Amino acid sequence: MESTIPTRPGGITRSLRAGALLLLDLILPPRCLSCGADVAQAGALCGACWAKVDFLGPPQCACCGLPFEVAALAGDLCAGCIRKPPPYARCRSVFAYDPDSRGLVLAFKHADRTDAAPGFAAWMARAGAELLADADIVAPVPLHRWRLFRRRYNQAALLALGIGKLSGRTVAPDLLARRRDTGNQGGRSRVGRARNVAGAFTVRPAYKERVKGKRVLLVDDVYTTGATAGECAKALLRAGAAAVDVLTLARVVKPVGTDLG
C-alpha cells in the first residue's frame, strides 16, 4: 500500500516565499543601503559603509543612552539626565547621526527609500532588545495629517511595524495624534524645539483605556534634543501609561547641522 505524507500548508507557503526571494535576488541583486554596492542580503550595508557608521552601545547613560567616552557603572546617568530627568524611562538608538550616517537617514525620511525600513527595524530590534522585552505596546511618533499627506508615509510608523513583526509585540500605529502642524524642527535651538512641540501630542480616545497601566515603547527615526520624545511621553503618562521607553534609529551625539524635522 502506497503511503502518503501530509503536507503542511505553512511549509509550502514558506518554500514558495523563499523561492520567490531567491529569484528576486537573481534578477535584482541586493544593494548596499548607502552606496549601492552588491551585498549578501537586502537591507544591509557593504563592509566599507558599515565601517563608517558609528554604532552605539555601552558604555552609555542608563537613561537617555548618550554614549560615554570612558567606562561607566551600570545605572550611571549623564549630566543632562541628572540635572533634568526626562519624562521617559530609557532611550536607546542604533547609531550616531553624523556626516557618515546622515545620508542613510535623510534618504529614508525624505527620498522614498522605504525599502530600508525592514533592515533598519532589524537593527533597532537588536539595539532595543532590553526595551522590547518590557514593552506592552509599540507606537510611533506621529506626523501631522498634512505632513503625512505630503510625504505619503510616516517613517516612524514603518519602523514600528517592522519592529513589531520581528518581536511579536503589539503595534498601535495611530495611538498618538499630533494636534497641530509643528513644522520642521531644523534650525531651532534646544529651547525653541521644546516650545514648538509643547502640548502638541495626545493619545487618541480609542486607545486611552488600552494604554492605562501599560509600558509603551515609542519609536522614531532620530533623537535630536529629546523634545519630541519627551512631549509624546508626557501625553502617554497623562493617559495612564505605566512608563515610556524610546527607541530610535539614530541620535545626535554632536551637532552636525539643522536638517532634521
Side-chain angles (χ1 to χ4, degrees):
M1 178 177 181
E2 184 178 354
S3 63
T4 59
I5 300 175
T7 302
R8 297 175 60 187
I12 294 176
T13 301
R14 284 192 294 272
S15 297
L16 290 173
R17 185 182 297 117
L21 290 174
L22 179 60
L23 179 61
L24 182 61
D25 285 349
L26 292 173
I27 300 172
L28 297 172
R31 304 290 185 183
C32 171
L33 291 174
S34 182
C35 72
D38 289 349
V39 292
Q41 61 185 31
L45 295 175
C46 68
C49 291
W50 179 274
K52 293 178 182 178
V53 176
D54 182 10
F55 289 96
L56 302 177
Q60 61 192 165
C61 173
C63 180
C64 77
L66 181 72
F68 291 145
E69 294 183 358
V70 297
L73 298 175
D76 278 358
L77 302 178
C78 68
C81 289
I82 292 173
R83 182 173 62 253
K84 187 178 180 181
Y88 59 76
R90 298 169 294 180
C91 177
R92 297 293 180 267
S93 304
V94 177
F95 55 74
Y97 183 83
D98 58 24
D100 289 315
S101 66
R102 177 163 47 185
L104 277 173
V105 176
L106 295 183
F108 173 56
K109 188 169 183 174
H110 297 298
D112 294 337
R113 286 298 307 273
T114 56
D115 59 297
F120 289 162
W123 296 353
M124 293 174 74
R126 287 193 292 270
E130 184 180 5
L131 279 57
L132 273 166
D134 296 334
D136 297 304
I137 303 172
V138 178
V141 170
L143 290 178
H144 187 268
R145 61 182 179 276
W146 292 119
R147 178 166 286 201
L148 181 59
F149 176 78
R150 293 192 298 270
R151 189 176 293 173
R152 304 183 306 282
Y153 63 93
N154 177 1
Q155 70 280 358
L158 295 181
L159 295 172
L161 289 168
I163 292 167
K165 183 177 181 179
L166 291 168
S167 66
R169 296 301 182 191
T170 299
V171 181
D174 59 344
L175 191 156
L176 287 165
R178 194 178 291 240
R179 298 174 190 265
R180 63 178 189 277
D181 189 353
T182 54
N184 197 308
Q185 290 277 69
R188 301 178 190 271
S189 66
R190 177 180 290 271
V191 173
R193 285 171 177 263
R195 288 175 177 170
N196 186 47
V197 296
F201 302 96
T202 187
V203 173
R204 293 184 186 275
Y207 286 97
K208 290 198 172 177
E209 289 302 316
R210 291 176 58 184
V211 161
K212 289 181 179 178
K214 304 298 184 181
R215 192 172 192 112
V216 180
L217 179 61
L218 184 69
V219 173
D220 203 2
D221 54 354
V222 181
Y223 181 103
T224 307
T225 64
T228 298
E231 284 300 315
C232 288
K234 289 176 185 177
L236 289 163
L237 293 171
R238 283 195 299 268
V244 179
D245 292 316
V246 180
L247 180 59
T248 72
L249 177 64
R251 71 160 292 148
V252 172
V253 176
K254 297 178 181 178
V256 293
T258 57
D259 50 9
L260 291 176

